[in-house]
Amino acid sequence: MYQLEDLLYLMSRLRDPQNGCPWDLKQTFASILPHTLEEAYEVADAIEKQDYAHLKEELGDLLFQVIFYSQLGKEQNHFDFPQIIDTLVSKLVRRHPHVFPSGELHSTNNDTPLSDEQIKGRWEAIKQQERDEKAKQQGSNAIESTSVLADIPMALPAIQRAEKLQKRAATVGFDWPEPVQVLDKIEEEIAELREAMLQGEHHRIEDELGDLMFAMVNLARHVQVKPELAVRSTNAKFERRFNYIESHLQLQGRTIEDASLEEMETLWQQAKSLEKTA
């Protein structure tokens, strides 16, 4: 079987200036970024479908993105693959003192087992120390560099970033104690959105709708539901039910454009009932 060294060698061949692949030679960090995001979503799709045979392939594609970046880093004297591995292992050892108490990979763990909450607390404290240290190294005293909210990527999908912002703020006590209080906040945001809609103020509608969605993400976090997964599940449910409408109309020799809203709603309710009895 091929090994990691073979993959690294393959990547170097693809980027060989004389005999490499013309497409691979044209690529930059920025140009392959969309492919990286696409591969990550394909991994998620395979996991959700429990398609483990396909997952093996998708994980390979995602790994290749890392290998590609490491080759670009090496060529530009930024970093290479061994340095990526060293940085990663060092960080993981540092963030797991309950497993590696001496700070060494092969150290023996003789500590008393910690609870999940204790482990989480240590993890966040260590990450904050890392942020503070990074700010010192950069010679910056700006609040953005040392903030509890620092280093949450702007490129994250908005729902995921909202969840991370809320979780990070919660580590220092900025959080609602009970989920019912978040429900109260949602009702408050709905009232403010309704008022904005009645007044027809588009900018305010956008602002209030954002507040409502942020509060909904907060509720999902409080009831231990991943908002991204919840919406993905609802998307799939909507698609199933809409396909049911289309297929039944097709059996009648009709298209979706031929049906009235009332007819589509009747078929929608049929699809919903069938799912409940399945």
Side-chain angles (χ1 to χ4, degrees), residues 2 27 73 83 106 111 154 159 162 184 189 206 208 227 256:
Y2 288 119
Q27 302 313 306
Q83 289 174 316
H106 299 290
D111 285 358
M154 291 293 295
I159 287 179
D184 292 339
E189 298 296 353
E206 179 180 316
E208 297 297 350
I256 194 78

Side-chain angles (χ1 to χ4, degrees), residues 190-203:
I190 290 174
E192 292 177 0
L193 175 59
R194 189 187 304 276
E195 180 183 345
M197 291 174 65
L198 288 172
Q199 295 179 1
E201 300 176 4
H202 184 269
H203 178 74

